[in-house]
């Protein structure tokens, strides 16, 4: 279910979730760009992606999908992996999910140490949940996601080559989107399990 359903039923939740998604997606893409830039690839900076300005990272079609379908994406950061090497590729791919994990852990920590307030707890809980979703989802080892790039860097001559060849197919994006739609049930179950484990571990 997309966010549009909340606009009339719960506008406050709509605004909180929308802002949390914008923040989380922006930090995720910035982490990719910043890591690539620091490791010697000038490509993200040339495209204006080493910034925390959401307008540099958000994708109009991906945002529409979030509103109507409940999942979407930001604009992928352009990276020249020839400037990075295999382990640089792994570091850049992992940077996005790691940034989301750190945001989630920070929110969970704040939930534990700050005085309880309904709005504050709601906001921190939503931001933490969204970032867990982004981290776990992007670590799935299927093409076009960060998990695939991590595997491609670890196994560049076997699995990595096959994954990269698949990503160059004309309809790779549609195939992956179709898979995600078909697998939404199992994916939601995995993500929910990780969320429950993290929040339980933190005693929240």
């Amino acid at each position: 279910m997309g966010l549009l359903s909340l606009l009339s039923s719960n506008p406050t939740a709509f605004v909180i979730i929308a802002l949390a998604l914008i923040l989380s997606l922006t930090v995720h893409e910035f982490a990719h760009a910043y890591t690539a830039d620091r490791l010697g690839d000038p490509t993200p900076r040339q495209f204006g992606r080493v910034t925390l300005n959401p307008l540099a990272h958000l994708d109009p079609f991906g945002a529409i999908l979030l509103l109507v379908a409940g999942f979407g994406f930001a604009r992928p950061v352009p990276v020249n992996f020839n400037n990075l090497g295999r382990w640089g590729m792994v570091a850049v791919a992992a940077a996005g999910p790691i940034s989301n994990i750190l945001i989630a852990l920070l929110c969970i920590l704040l939930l534990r140490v700050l005085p309880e307030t309904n709005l504050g707890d709601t906001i921190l809980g939503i931001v933490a949940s969204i970032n867990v979703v982004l981290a776990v989802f992007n670590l799935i080892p299927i093409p076009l996601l960060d998990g695939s790039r991590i595997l491609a860097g670890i196994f560049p001559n076997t699995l990595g080559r096959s994954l990269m060849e698949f990503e160059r197919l004309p309809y790779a994006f549609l195939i992956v989107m179709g898979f995600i739609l078909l697998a939404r049930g199992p994916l939601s179950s995995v993500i929910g399990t990780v969320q429950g484990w993290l929040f339980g571990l933190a005693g929240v």
Side-chain angles (χ1 to χ4, degrees):
M1 183 180 296
L3 288 178
L4 283 179
S5 61
L6 286 175
L7 190 54
S8 58
S9 63
N10 193 337
T12 301
F14 173 86
V15 171
I16 293 173
I17 293 172
L19 291 176
L21 279 167
I22 291 171
L23 164 70
S24 305
L25 288 170
T26 297
V27 171
H28 180 102
E29 297 303 330
F30 168 77
H32 287 312
Y34 178 80
T35 304
D37 184 67
R38 294 291 294 175
L39 292 177
D41 179 22
T43 311
R45 187 169 294 278
Q46 291 169 356
F47 282 84
R49 302 299 298 275
V50 189
T51 175
L52 285 169
N53 181 353
L55 296 178
H57 301 292
L58 298 182
D59 180 274
F61 179 63
I64 291 172
L65 271 181
L66 274 173
L67 289 173
V68 301
F71 73 93
F73 52 88
R75 290 167 54 206
V77 173
V79 175
N80 185 347
F81 290 116
N82 292 326
N83 294 327
L84 296 170
R86 59 183 292 198
W87 296 114
M89 179 179 181
V90 172
V92 171
I98 288 173
S99 72
N100 294 127
I101 292 170
L102 292 176
I103 292 174
L105 291 175
L106 175 62
C107 290
I108 291 171
L109 175 63
L110 292 175
L111 280 170
R112 293 207 63 177
V113 301
L114 292 180
E116 291 186 17
T117 62
N118 288 336
L119 182 59
D121 289 356
T122 297
I123 292 173
L124 289 172
I126 288 174
V127 174
S129 296
I130 285 174
N131 278 276
V132 172
V133 170
L134 287 174
V136 175
F137 178 77
N138 277 283
L139 285 172
I140 298 171
I142 60 176
L144 303 179
L145 298 183
D146 296 328
S148 172
R149 303 287 172 82
I150 293 171
L151 282 182
I154 296 173
F155 306 104
N157 298 320
T158 52
L159 182 60
R161 184 184 296 116
S162 299
L163 290 170
M164 290 305 181
E165 289 175 354
F166 178 87
E167 290 191 4
R168 287 192 284 267
L169 294 175
Y171 303 108
F173 174 79
L174 293 177
I175 294 171
V176 172
M177 287 297 102
F179 170 81
I180 291 170
L181 280 172
L182 292 173
R184 286 187 76 176
L187 292 178
S188 297
S189 178
V190 171
I191 291 170
T193 299
V194 175
Q195 283 180 325
W197 178 78
L198 277 178
F199 279 87
L201 190 65
V204 176

